């Protein structure tokens, strides 16, 4: 059997009477305004969200394994056992993220996390690897009493 690909025929341009509007085509009034593309999120924001999902028990630890260095993975696994950011089954929220860049390619990140009625502190360190990927190399969570785990 011989297969033949066919193309749809182009429609001839139709002329419309003046003043008539075609409702099938968007006009300048119905067309959504064009917005500039948003820049990608900062690595500190991405990692805060990833760690928050793991520490609240919404995602398993191995979900973030490729983004975390060896010793930090052990710390995160230990912290995730206690799910310190899961209070009364409510999802924790990020209140504020800040970072400090001690040298190029390294961020020390701190975040305030709302977990139930209390605010908790999340701190972690990011390193830019030779493969241009960010990896978390240290993780700490402070309990409401102020002690870091």
């Amino acid at each position: 059997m011989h297969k033949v690909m066919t193309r749809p025929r182009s429609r001839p341009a139709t002329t419309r009477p003046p003043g008539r509007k075609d409702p099938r085509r968007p006009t300048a009034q119905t067309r959504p305004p064009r917005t500039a593309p948003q820049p990608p999120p900062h690595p500190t924001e991405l990692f805060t969200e990833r760690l928050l999902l793991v520490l609240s028990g919404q995602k398993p630890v191995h979900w973030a394994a490729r983004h975390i260095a060896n010793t930090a993975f052990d710390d995160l696994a230990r912290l995730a056992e206690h799910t310190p950011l899961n209070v009364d089954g409510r999802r924790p929220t990020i209140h504020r993220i800040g970072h400090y860049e001690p040298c190029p390619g390294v961020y020390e990140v701190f975040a305030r996390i709302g977990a139930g009625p209390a605010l908790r502190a999340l701190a972690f360190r990011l390193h830019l690897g030779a493969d241009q990927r960010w990896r978390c190399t240290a993780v700490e969570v402070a309990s409401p009493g102020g002690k870091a785990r």
Side-chain angles (χ1 to χ4, degrees), residues 16-101:
R16 303 214 185 274
R20 182 173 174 192
K21 295 185 180 185
D22 188 355
R24 294 173 292 173
R25 294 181 186 215
T27 62
Q29 297 162 346
T30 60
R31 189 176 306 139
R34 287 190 178 182
T35 58
Q38 295 293 323
H42 198 267
T44 59
E45 296 171 4
L46 290 173
F47 274 85
T48 302
E49 291 173 7
R50 286 179 184 150
L51 291 173
L52 187 66
L53 290 172
V54 171
L55 292 171
S56 64
Q58 296 176 44
K59 294 282 186 181
V61 178
H62 64 79
W63 175 74
R66 66 183 175 154
H67 304 288
I68 299 177
N70 296 337
T71 56
F73 183 80
D74 296 338
D75 294 340
L76 183 62
R78 182 181 44 80
L79 286 170
E81 287 178 12
H82 305 292
T83 58
L85 301 179
N86 189 5
V87 178
D88 300 329
R90 290 189 238 159
R91 288 185 175 187
T93 57
I94 300 170
H95 284 257
R96 183 175 179 129
I97 302 172
H99 67 274
Y100 169 69
E101 190 172 1

